[in-house]
C-alpha cells in the first residue's frame, strides 16, 4: 500500500508542480484535469469537469479503485481561474462557472473522496489552493474574490461538518499572492467576453486591466513560483499537525495582518 494524491488542475502551473513533488516523495499521483495533457509525473490521469456533479460522481468507481489500495489519501483542490470584470458586467453563466470551479465542484469532490475513504477505512486530508484575494477584495475582480472567499468558508465548514468522521484528518487552505503561472493568460481569455458587454463608465479600468494581463506585462514584486506554492501544499500533506491555513508570499502575510488588526474604514483606503 502507498500514499495517494489526487490533484485537480494538474495539467500546468501549481497543480503540475504539486504532482511532481508528490511523485518525487513516493506518492502515487492521480492527475485530474478538464483536458488531460499528459502529466509526466502522474501515475494516472483522468478527465474531470468540476462544473458537473454528474461527472464527479461518475468518477467514483475509478477513485474507489485507487483509494482501496492506498494507506492514506491527499486531495488537492487546486483547479481555478480568474473571472475578472466589473460585477455589473458579468453574466449569470460567468458567475456560475466561477463558483462551480472554486466552490461547488471542489466540495463535491471532497465529499465523494471522504465517502469512499470512510468505506475503506483510509485517512483523508483535503488541501484547497485559495488566494490572497479571498481575504482582501480588489476592484474589477469581485467574482474571483467572492468565489475564493466562498472556497475558504466552504472548506472550513466541510471540516466542521465532518468532525465525527474517522477518515477526515484535516482540511487546510493554501493562500498565495501573485504566482508565476499562466493565470494571467487565462484571466485575459475569460475577460474578453466581458469586454463585449462592458459598461462605458469602466472603460479606463478595463484598459488598465488588459494592459496588466497582456503578455509581457511586468511581474509584481515578490511573485512566487508554482514550486513555492507546491512546497506549502506538500507541507500540509505531511505535517504531523496540519495548520488550517498556509500563507505564501509577503502580500498574503501583509493582508492577513491588515484584515485582523486594521479598522475596515482604513482597509478600504489601503486596498482601493
Amino acid at each position: 500500500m502507498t500514499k495517494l494524491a489526487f490533484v485537480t488542475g494538474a495539467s500546468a502551473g501549481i497543480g503540475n508542480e504539486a504532482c511532481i513533488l508528490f511523485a518525487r516523495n513516493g506518492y502515487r499521483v492521480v492527475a485530474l484535469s478538464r483536458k488531460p495533457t499528459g502529466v509526466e509525473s502522474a501515475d494516472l490521469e483522468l478527465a474531470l469537469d468540476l462544473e458537473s456533479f454528474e461527472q464527479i460522481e461518475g468518477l467514483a468507481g475509478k477513485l474507489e479503485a485507487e483509494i482501496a489500495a492506498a494507506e492514506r489519501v491527499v486531495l488537492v483542490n487546486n483547479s481555478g481561474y480568474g473571472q475578472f470584470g466589473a460585477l455589473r458586467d458579468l453574466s449569470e453563466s460567468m458567475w456560475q462557472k466561477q463558483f462551480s470551479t472554486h466552490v461547488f465542484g471542489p466540495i463535491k469532490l471532497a465529499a465523494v473522496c471522504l465517502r469512499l475513504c470512510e468505506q475503506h477505512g483510509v485517512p483523508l486530508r483535503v488541501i484547497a489552493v485559495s488566494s490572497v484575494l479571498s481575504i482582501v477584495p480588489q476592484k474589477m475582480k469581485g467574482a474571483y474574490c467572492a468565489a475564493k472567499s466562498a472556497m475558504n468558508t466552504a472548506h472550513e465548514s466541510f471540516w466542521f461538518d465532518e468532525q465525527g468522521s474517522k477518515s477526515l484528518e484535516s482540511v487546510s487552505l493554501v493562500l498565495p499572492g501573485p504566482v508565476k503561472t499562466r493565470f494571467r493568460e487565462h484571466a485575459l481569455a475569460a475577460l474578453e467576453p466581458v469586454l463585449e458587454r462592458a459598461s462605458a463608465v469602466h472603460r479606463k479600468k478595463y484598459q488598465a486591466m488588459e494592459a496588466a494581463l497582456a503578455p509581457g506585462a511586468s511581474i509584481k514584486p515578490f511573485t512566487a513560483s508554482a514550486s513555492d506554492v507546491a512546497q506549502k501544499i506538500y507541507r500540509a500533506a505531511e505535517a504531523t499537525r496540519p495548520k488550517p491555513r498556509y500563507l505564501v508570499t509577503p502580500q498574503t502575510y501583509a493582508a492577513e495582518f491588515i484584515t485582523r488588526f486594521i479598522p475596515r474604514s482604513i482597509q478600504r483606503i489601503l486596498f482601493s
Side-chain angles (χ1 to χ4, degrees), residues 69-148:
E71 64 181 75
R72 62 191 297 261
V73 177
V74 175
L75 168 64
V76 181
N77 276 328
N78 166 71
S79 288
Y81 75 100
Q83 178 61 72
F84 296 165
L87 298 182
R88 66 161 75 183
D89 295 330
L90 301 186
S91 67
E92 181 179 357
S93 64
M94 291 172 183
W95 277 104
Q96 183 70 34
K97 185 178 179 68
Q98 189 77 159
F99 271 74
S100 292
T101 302
H102 293 103
V103 189
F104 309 147
I107 290 297
K108 177 62 175 177
L109 181 59
V112 169
C113 286
L114 180 58
R115 183 183 76 222
L116 298 174
C117 283
E118 288 174 338
Q119 289 175 5
H120 293 277
V122 178
L124 169 69
R125 291 189 179 190
V126 178
I127 302 166
V129 180
S130 184
S131 168
V132 63
L133 294 183
S134 68
I135 54 177
V136 286
Q138 201 171 86
K139 63 184 177 184
M140 305 294 284
K141 299 177 182 178
Y144 179 71
C145 296
K148 284 298 192 182

